[in-house]
Each structure stands twice: as C-alpha cells, then as structure tokens.
Amino acid sequence: MLKGKKILLAVTGSIAAYKTASLTRLLIKAGAEVQIVMTDAATKFITPLTLSTLSKRSVYSSVTSEEGWNNHVELGLWADAMLVAPATANTLAAMANGFCNNMVLATYLSSRCPVFFAPAMDLDMFTHPATLANIDKLKSYGNILIDAEEGELASGLVGKGRMAEPEHIVEALELHFMQQGPQPLKGLKAILTSGPTVEAIDPVRYITNHSTGKMGTAIADTLAKLGAEVTLISGPVKVKPKHPAVKIIDVKSAQEMYEAAISAFPQAHIAVLAAAVADYTPENVACEKIKKKDGDPMRIDLCRTKDIAQELGKIKTEQQCMVGFALETQNFRKNASKKLEKKNFDFIVLNSLRDKGAGFGHDTNKVTFIDRQLEIEEHELKSKLEVAEDIAAKICKMLQKKAENAQELTAQL
C-alpha cells in the first residue's frame, strides 16, 4: 500500500526519536520515498547523518543552510502524507496553535496532504488537560492521531505515552492508503476461506498442512480496499488482515470451515476459496492422549471431509463469482481444468510447488489463471499483495460481464 508513496517524516526532540531509524527502514522496505525534516532538538537524540543514510536523501533541520533556502513549501506540496513522529508535547502545542519557529512547523503549515502525528512523552505530560486539548484541536483540523501506547517510559513510570511502535505506525499509514481510491466492489459481499485446517487425532495430536494464510489475507485486504464487505473464514494463522472492514471467523477443522462457508455463501456476491482444507480427517478422535506402544505401529483410520468448493458450486447462482485455488505437483493445467467444471468455479488460480518462491510460506507467488472458456493468463513471480490485486481485477471483470449478460437476458425477455 505504500509503494511509490511520498512520506514526509518530521522528527522532534524526544528520546523516542531513536525509533525513527527503524521506522525509516520499514517505510523504505514498504516501497515508500521518505524525506526527513527534524527540529534542532531532535538532532541531539539521533543524527541527521543516520537518517540521511537510511532514507538516501538529505535531511533538513533548518529553514536555511549553507546551500541556501530549504524549501518547506515545496516539501509540503511534494508529500502524499506527512508524519510527525515522535510528536512532543511542545510540538503538539505549536502545531495546534499555528506557531512557526522551526523547519518542522514551517513544513507542517505548508502541507496540503494528510498529516499523521504520533505523540511521545511522559505519562503526566500526556494526560495533562492542555495536551489532551491540543490533540483534540489537531484532530479537529483533520490531522490523524496515531495514539500513544502503554508501557515503561523514560522516567521509569509505567503508563500511556510511548510513541507507537514503528510497525504500528506503518500499519496506520498502510490502512489510510488502503482506504483511498476507487471502490468498484462497494455494496457487494465477499466470503473468503484461508489458511490450513486442523484435524484432531486426540487432545494432543492433529493433522494439518503448511498453509500460512498469507495469500488469503492479502486477498481479503484487497477486496475490502475495493469496497467489498469481506468475511474471512480462517484456519489457525498468525497473519491477520489489516483492513478494519474485514470480518474474521476463526475455525479449526474442515467441518467448522464448511459450516461457516455454507452459512455465509448464499448472501455473498463473491467467494474466494483459498484455504488449504484437509481432504481427510480421523474417523474417530480419541478422548485421551493415545499412548505409544513399543514396537507397535500407530494406525489412524481416515474419512473424507466435505468438499467445500464442490458443495458451494452446487448452490452457486449465475450472478455469483466463485474463485478456486489449485496447488498441483504434476499435470498442472489438466488437473486445474477438471476442477473448474467439477466445482463450478468461474476461474481458478493455479500455482505449483515447483516454482521457486511460490506456494506455502513465501511472501511471493507465481500463478496462472484459467477460466471457464479455458483462457489462460500466466503471471510472473510477484508479491502476494500484487497477486491479490490481479485476482481482484479478474473478479471485477467477471462481475461486470455477468451484469452485462443479465441485462441482455432481461432485454430479450
């Protein structure tokens, strides 16, 4: 979400300024361009040289320098977002009341972009009525608060006042940009299955797979960004969607995932089945831990789980768009094409474990789309977020085509 975005990072004089080194690296890693301005006090906590090296840009701490005028007006117009982090009590008061006696404040008053601020100060300073009033005033101007977090403070007190962690600040910026732009799926409902399922053998052991849910989470965030009301039915995963409009239903077993999907599907316009659902589950689950016996093999009788995609395909309407995934190790396209017909998918996303950087656990994927007309779209290795955007674009085209076909049918009748 931050790729190509211009972020103006304003650093002020707090001990939390040391965190801006990590923050800068995270922003750069996310693909953003970062320009840094500092107050003179901030340079006492972290050097401009450090931040210049990390951002690969000159850092400005004064309106004038040996090179001449550092154009704060130009910087304010350049940025897609300005981020004041850390924002001290003094800086908050100055911003709230229009003071302009340093580079940060001059740039703030010249900015036309959204301005985020992440307070950092001691507990009593943060909770003082004057500080809270300044925060409220800044919010009333349309500035966006990235709230302070609780924990141990520089004074030794424990409470609220710590600057938000760099990862949380980046997430706040990502969320902002995620909610911008066109929303072609606004008003539509989408369900999505993601992650692995866990099939219990006994209270201790279970059968599962290597799915991390990264691909499904990326799709959920992307569909929500485009305006869809998304319900994510997820097996046990660590990665969670960032978009607040994504409703999460946590499940464990294939049966639980089936029940959640079959309940939500009739109201959905879009269904993306990205979960790695177990094909088999133990026929009998032991109530107590199964004890091992020396020399004896352990045998578990398995039975088939419900084929979620196939069951949904039976009740799918012409106006619903259903997308499946196929992870194959051989006869890739032949097997994927069979699934299209058998499970009534509109298109299928094929990936192979043989492709380097694709499959479970990676942040990248290499996929091929095959639709009902057996048209094939091959995509190069991309980040999973970029793959999710490709999938969402294909869904939008499919829905548009379905709408046009419905209009033609209505006209004929």
Side-chain angles (χ1 to χ4, degrees):
M1 297 305 164
L2 295 179
K3 187 175 182 180
K5 300 300 182 185
K6 299 179 177 68
I7 307 299
L8 181 58
L9 174 58
V11 186
T12 69
S14 162
I15 184 63
Y18 80 91
K19 294 183 179 180
T20 57
S22 297
L23 177 57
T24 301
R25 291 198 66 178
L26 288 173
L27 290 169
I28 295 291
K29 185 177 180 181
E33 297 179 50
V34 181
Q35 174 62 61
I36 298 173
V37 294
M38 307 176 72
T39 62
D40 183 61
T43 65
K44 306 299 191 295
F45 291 96
I46 186 167
T47 67
L49 177 60
T50 298
L51 296 179
S52 176
T53 302
L54 293 172
S55 66
K56 300 178 176 61
R57 288 173 174 267
S58 297
V59 171
Y60 304 117
S61 57
S62 176
V63 175
T64 60
S65 64
E66 293 179 0
E67 290 75 28
W69 178 39
N70 296 324
N71 196 330
H72 56 87
V73 176
E74 187 176 288
L75 289 175
L77 297 175
W78 169 84
D80 293 311
M82 182 176 182
L83 168 63
V84 185
T88 62
N90 184 65
T91 296
L92 291 178
M95 290 170 63
N97 292 283
F99 293 171
C100 186
N101 60 357
N102 61 41
M103 185 65 180
V104 166
L105 295 173
T107 306
Y108 164 67
L109 290 176
S110 302
S111 297
R112 296 184 183 177
C113 60
V115 177
F116 296 77
F117 62 101
M121 64 200 74
D122 212 79
L123 173 63
D124 296 320
M125 297 171 68
F126 185 78
T127 57
H128 194 282
T131 301
L132 297 177
N134 287 330
I135 289 174
D136 286 341
K137 187 181 285 190
L138 286 172
K139 288 165 64 178
S140 75
Y141 296 159
N143 298 318
I144 303 165
L145 170 66
I146 302 176
D147 207 1
E149 298 179 358
E150 296 199 11
E152 186 175 352
L153 304 170
S155 66
L157 295 175
V158 176
K160 191 171 184 179
R162 291 169 60 97
M163 185 180 87
E165 291 302 316
E167 293 83 0
H168 299 163
I169 293 174
V170 171
E171 286 176 3
L173 290 172
E174 287 178 332
L175 178 57
H176 168 77
F177 287 112
M178 191 181 291
Q179 294 172 322
Q180 307 303 304
Q183 295 193 315
L185 300 179
K186 190 172 181 63
L188 302 185
K189 294 184 178 181
I191 67 165
L192 196 145
T193 64
S194 179
T197 63
V198 171
E199 310 302 322
I201 297 171
D202 61 23
V204 177
R205 304 177 183 90
Y206 55 82
I207 301 169
T208 191
N209 56 61
H210 297 294
S211 175
T212 61
K214 289 181 178 180
M215 189 71 256
T217 297
I219 298 169
D221 276 332
T222 302
L223 293 178
K225 172 191 172 185
L226 296 178
E229 182 183 326
V230 181
T231 298
L232 176 64
I233 303 166
S234 176
V237 296
K238 293 181 180 179
V239 60
K240 298 292 184 182
K242 296 175 181 177
H243 201 290
V246 178
K247 175 186 175 184
I248 303 174
I249 298 176
D250 291 313
V251 298
K252 289 186 177 180
S253 68
Q255 181 62 26
E256 289 176 355
M257 185 171 283
Y258 165 75
E259 290 172 1
I262 206 75
S263 174
F265 182 69
Q267 294 79 40
H269 303 88
I270 303 161
V272 182
L273 306 181
V277 185
D279 293 321
Y280 294 90
T281 190
E283 196 168 80
N284 296 297
V285 179
C287 296
E288 303 292 340
K289 179 183 175 182
I290 301 172
K291 297 294 184 181
K292 64 182 179 183
K293 298 177 180 178
D294 292 340
D296 289 343
M298 181 179 180
R299 292 185 175 86
I300 303 171
D301 292 324
L302 302 175
C303 60
R304 282 296 305 267
T305 59
K306 290 261 193 183
D307 190 320
I308 297 173
Q310 191 167 325
E311 293 301 314
L312 296 185
K314 291 176 183 177
I315 59 174
K316 173 178 172 281
T317 69
E318 284 298 317
Q319 297 309 307
Q320 290 177 301
C321 180
M322 193 161 82
V323 183
F325 273 68
L327 181 62
E328 303 289 348
T329 58
Q330 59 184 348
N331 299 324
F332 312 123
R333 295 184 181 179
K334 182 180 178 182
N335 290 338
S337 299
K338 284 182 179 178
K339 284 186 177 180
L340 270 169
E341 292 297 329
K342 184 178 180 182
K343 303 188 180 184
N344 200 14
F345 292 136
D346 287 281
F347 72 96
I348 198 163
V349 181
L350 170 65
N351 46 196
S352 168
L353 286 174
R354 294 183 181 179
D355 289 323
K356 186 177 180 181
F360 294 141
H362 299 285
D363 292 324
T364 54
N365 208 354
K366 184 179 180 183
V367 301
T368 299
F369 297 163
I370 306 177
D371 63 22
R372 294 298 289 271
Q373 289 71 45
L374 298 184
E375 291 183 2
I376 296 172
E377 294 179 30
E378 292 186 344
H379 294 262
E380 61 187 12
L381 186 71
K382 299 180 181 182
S383 72
K384 287 189 171 176
L385 181 58
E386 290 172 319
V387 173
E389 289 170 349
D390 290 338
I391 292 170
K394 181 80 170 177
I395 289 171
C396 289
K397 289 179 183 178
M398 286 277 181
L399 289 172
Q400 179 65 29
K401 188 173 181 180
K402 286 173 180 285
E404 290 171 357
N405 290 341
Q407 288 175 357
E408 288 177 8
L409 181 60
T410 301
Q412 292 171 7
L413 295 174

